[in-house]
Amino acid sequence: MTDPDHNTTPAEALAAIQRSQRDVQRKVAAGSRRYDLSYSAICAMMVGTQVLDMPLNTLGVAVGVILLAVLFRRESDRLGVGITGLSPRRARWVGIGLGLAMLPLMVLAILLNHFATSGVMLALGAAGLMAVAFVFCMIGSRQWRRVYRRETGVGE
């Protein structure tokens, strides 16, 4: 942006910063199918592991959090900036809602573990909850990006 051998005016420096921000916004708005699939699979796994007994259900969540951190890091490297999902303002609420919506699915999985009368019922119930979580996260991820595009005005 600023080269010591080149006299950059403040207006030029500001324009360069704004171009850089727009480039990042375009990358975020374009999205990544790999990200959506990975994110959805990790969340589905976290929901599904809740049908297991202690400490495996806790371990499943811990592994899921680690995988989400790896996914965040990979996306940060790809985009050149870390995107938490909590900005811009309206997109934040999509992200928070998506996270909160996973809680009832996890609670249902815990209840399934407690009340299932057979291993088949447990396995089928877990598979169903994981499928719901996967689809919901896929839709939520796409919805977050749609709101992000609308708020930033890029990628429409």
Side-chain angles (χ1 to χ4, degrees):
M1 177 175 61
T2 58
D3 184 0
D5 297 331
H6 182 261
N7 293 331
T8 304
T9 67
E12 291 171 334
L14 181 59
I17 290 170
Q18 290 170 336
R19 278 193 305 276
S20 177
Q21 287 174 333
R22 286 310 252 190
D23 288 344
V24 168
Q25 288 173 341
R26 281 188 194 92
K27 284 182 185 177
V28 172
S32 165
R33 192 175 307 263
R34 181 183 298 164
Y35 173 85
D36 291 340
L37 290 171
S38 299
Y39 173 75
S40 298
I42 293 167
C43 290
M45 181 271 306
M46 290 171 69
V47 168
T49 59
Q50 295 312 294
V51 302
L52 303 173
D53 292 324
M54 286 289 284
L56 294 176
N57 60 357
T58 304
L59 183 62
V61 171
V63 168
V65 168
I66 290 168
L67 290 173
L68 286 173
V70 168
L71 181 63
F72 172 81
R73 184 66 194 170
R74 189 180 75 196
E75 281 297 292
S76 296
D77 290 345
R78 182 180 76 83
L79 296 171
V81 65
I83 303 295
T84 63
L86 297 178
S87 68
R89 190 171 44 91
R90 286 186 185 99
R92 167 185 311 141
W93 293 109
V94 176
I96 290 170
L98 184 56
L100 290 175
M102 291 296 103
L103 292 176
L105 292 174
M106 288 183 165
V107 169
L108 283 173
I110 292 167
L111 291 173
L112 180 64
N113 179 12
H114 186 69
F115 292 110
T117 56
S118 71
V120 172
M121 176 190 246
L122 188 66
L124 290 175
L129 288 171
M130 289 173 73
V132 168
F134 183 88
V135 169
F136 189 78
C137 286
M138 182 68 78
I139 292 169
S141 184
R142 301 277 172 99
Q143 182 63 30
W144 181 90
R145 194 169 299 109
R146 191 172 298 122
V147 172
Y148 179 89
R149 286 181 191 131
R150 195 173 332 128
E151 263 190 281
T152 59
V154 297
E156 303 237 25

